[in-house]
Amino acid sequence: MTEHVRISTTDRVTHVVLARPEKKNAITQAMYGSMAQAIREYSAGNDARALVITGEGDYFTSGNDLQDFARGADGDGPPPVVQFLNAIASCEKPLIAAVNGPAIGVGLTMLLHCDLVYAARGATLSAPFVKLGLVPEAASSLLLPEAVGQAVANDIFMTGRALSADEALQFGLVARVFDDTELADGVGEIALHVANSAPNALRLTKSLVRHRGAEIAAQMEREGKLFSDQLGSPDFAESVAAMMQKRAPVYP
């Protein structure tokens, strides 16, 4: 567990808060491990019937902590990031996202596995993997084109453009947009409504809507292999060096 993820359950709603605002909620392997465990326990348990993911401060998340990822994961078995992606993709109960600020990289792609997604008006969504010398993950190369169309997905992936909250609403990536100061209360009311709804009907509805588990898992595995390869590539090394040195990258 890590102090950078706060987990609590009240009124049958589990809250998972990315709590590293000084680093724009950049996600480390330890944070992924905590989130994966929380989602697995929520999915298997009876205490909570809705789970809300949000960020503390101005950001939902700025994506992966690249320095932490460059060091690699400790221990045997799937890395924590893989455990998190598997947990969020296979969770049988409602997952809710409250996007309180910029959602970058995995901040966008995790939303594709959430059942109810709401955004603050000041939030933005982006997936600048190519800018970092990386490739999409979390089955987003399958799910994002299906959600917004191939042309828009390519614009997001290949140019790194950020969608405004209103654009995300237009493209169906979020269900509603709240004023920034009203997001927490608005999503809180929705989460309570979900938590007090017929639980088996919710599970069955989710299973009908999300019935492509094997296909999504296979795409995540393909992406994961390429993503891992790119972490050791000259593209990634130059992208990170350029970012740290605040210059334009120069690729061979």
Side-chain angles (χ1 to χ4, degrees), residues 79-98:
V81 60
V82 174
Q83 295 179 37
F84 168 73
L85 294 179
N86 288 341
I88 204 170
S90 63
C91 182
E92 296 180 354
K93 294 160 67 174
L95 295 174
I96 303 170

Side-chain angles (χ1 to χ4, degrees), residues 2-79:
T2 170
E3 72 275 12
H4 293 137
V5 177
R6 289 203 313 272
I7 301 163
S8 61
T9 298
T10 305
D11 296 330
R12 289 188 166 181
V13 178
T14 293
H15 297 270
V16 176
V17 181
L18 299 172
R20 201 185 179 205
E22 72 281 3
K23 295 293 185 179
K24 300 179 180 178
N25 294 330
I27 305 175
T28 63
Q29 294 282 6
M31 292 168 70
Y32 276 123
S34 293
M35 290 192 293
Q37 181 176 333
I39 292 169
R40 287 193 300 263
E41 291 177 354
Y42 160 69
S43 187
N46 296 315
D47 293 340
R49 293 183 175 174
L51 183 146
V52 179
I53 302 173
T54 193
E56 180 182 302
D58 296 332
Y59 272 67
F60 182 65
T61 173
S62 58
N64 294 333
D65 184 313
L66 296 179
Q67 291 182 327
D68 182 75
F69 266 70
R71 290 191 290 268
D74 297 328
D76 299 326

Side-chain angles (χ1 to χ4, degrees), residues 4 8 22 28 57 63 76 81 91 93-94 100 103 120-121 126 129 140 153-154 180 183 210-211 218-219 232:
H4 293 137
S8 61
E22 72 281 3
T28 63
D76 299 326
V81 60
C91 182
K93 294 160 67 174
N100 57 297
R121 194 163 302 280
S126 61
F129 297 110
S140 59
N154 282 342
D180 291 8
L183 178 70
R210 296 184 179 273
H211 60 278
Q219 189 73 357

Side-chain angles (χ1 to χ4, degrees), residues 36 122 194 202:
V194 171
L202 284 171

